[in-house]
Amino acid sequence: MQIPIDVLIVACLCLAAALVSGCDSNSSSGKNVTYSDLSGDPIAVDGKVLVVNYWAEWCKPCREEIPELNQFQQSNQDRVQVIGISFDDLPVAEIRRQADKFGIAFPVLPREPEARWGQPRPQVLPTTLLIDAEGNWRESLVGPQSLESLEQALSRVVPSVEGESGAE
C-alpha cells in the first residue's frame, strides 16, 4: 500500500512541529532549562527556588540590596539559587566588571532569558522574580529587598520552610 504524498508531507510537518515545540529550552514555564553564568559554567538550579534579580549599575537601590541577596543565597544555598540579570544590554565583560565592582557573589546571566518565565520585562528596578522548584513563576518583588523580606517571600513560595531561615 502506498501512502499519498500529501498525507506523508502533512504527517512529517506535524511530527516536526511536535518535536520542535517539545525541545524549546526557553519555554515560558522555565522547566528543563539550563542556565550558564558569565563564564559559561552551568548554574545548578534543579530542585531549587530561583530568586531572579534584575539590577543595573545606575540603580542605587539595586546596589544597596546586593549584600542582602548575597547573604540570602549563602543562608539558603541548599534550597535557593539567586541569579542576577543586568537590566542593561551590555557585553559580558562589562557585566562582569559591574558585578565584581558591586560584590555580587551569586551567578549572573550573560543575557536575559527570552521567555522570562512568562513575565514581562520589569519596568522598575530592582525587581526580583520568585520561580518555584518546578520552574513556575510565583511572585514578583518590586523595589529593594532585605534579608527579612526575601525570607518571607520564600515562605510564601515554599510554605514548609517557614521559620527555617538557614541562618544561624
Side-chain angles (χ1 to χ4, degrees), residues 13-33:
L13 289 174
C14 288
L15 179 60
L19 289 172
V20 170
S21 67
C23 295
D24 182 7
S25 65
N26 289 320
S27 67
S28 63
S29 70
K31 296 177 184 174
N32 301 318
V33 178

Side-chain angles (χ1 to χ4, degrees), residues 130-141:
L130 276 77
I131 312 301
D132 68 20
E134 288 76 42
N136 301 304
W137 170 84
R138 295 289 300 274
E139 188 173 345
S140 294
L141 307 173

Side-chain angles (χ1 to χ4, degrees), residues 2 6 30 39 58 63 70 72 75 89-91 98 110 116 122-123 126 137 139-140 142 147 149 152 155 158 161-162:
Q2 193 169 10
D6 58 337
S39 298
W58 46 263
R63 295 190 309 265
N70 286 341
F72 182 70
S75 298
D89 187 21
L90 300 170
Q98 290 178 7
R116 290 185 292 275
Q123 298 300 304
W137 170 84
E139 188 173 345
S140 294
V142 178
L147 185 58
S149 68
Q152 289 172 354
S155 73
V158 186
V161 300
E162 192 166 17

Side-chain angles (χ1 to χ4, degrees), residues 43-100:
I43 302 169
V45 299
D46 289 343
K48 294 184 178 183
V49 172
L50 294 183
V51 177
V52 182
N53 178 258
Y54 283 82
W55 60 275
E57 180 179 37
W58 46 263
C59 170
K60 184 177 179 187
C62 298
R63 295 190 309 265
E64 292 172 351
E65 81 173 344
I66 287 171
E68 302 289 321
L69 290 161
N70 286 341
Q71 185 177 356
F72 182 70
Q73 173 63 57
Q74 183 64 35
S75 298
N76 295 284
Q77 59 189 337
D78 57 330
R79 61 183 176 221
V80 169
Q81 180 58 64
V82 177
I83 295 176
I85 298 176
S86 174
F87 185 78
D88 300 322
D89 187 21
L90 300 170
V92 170
E94 180 60 18
I95 296 171
R96 183 178 290 117
R97 184 195 68 75
Q98 290 178 7
D100 290 346

Side-chain angles (χ1 to χ4, degrees), residues 103-123:
I104 295 176
F106 46 86
V108 175
L109 299 181
R111 65 185 177 285
E112 180 178 30
E114 289 180 30
R116 290 185 292 275
W117 300 275
Q119 299 305 300
R121 190 165 202 260
Q123 298 300 304

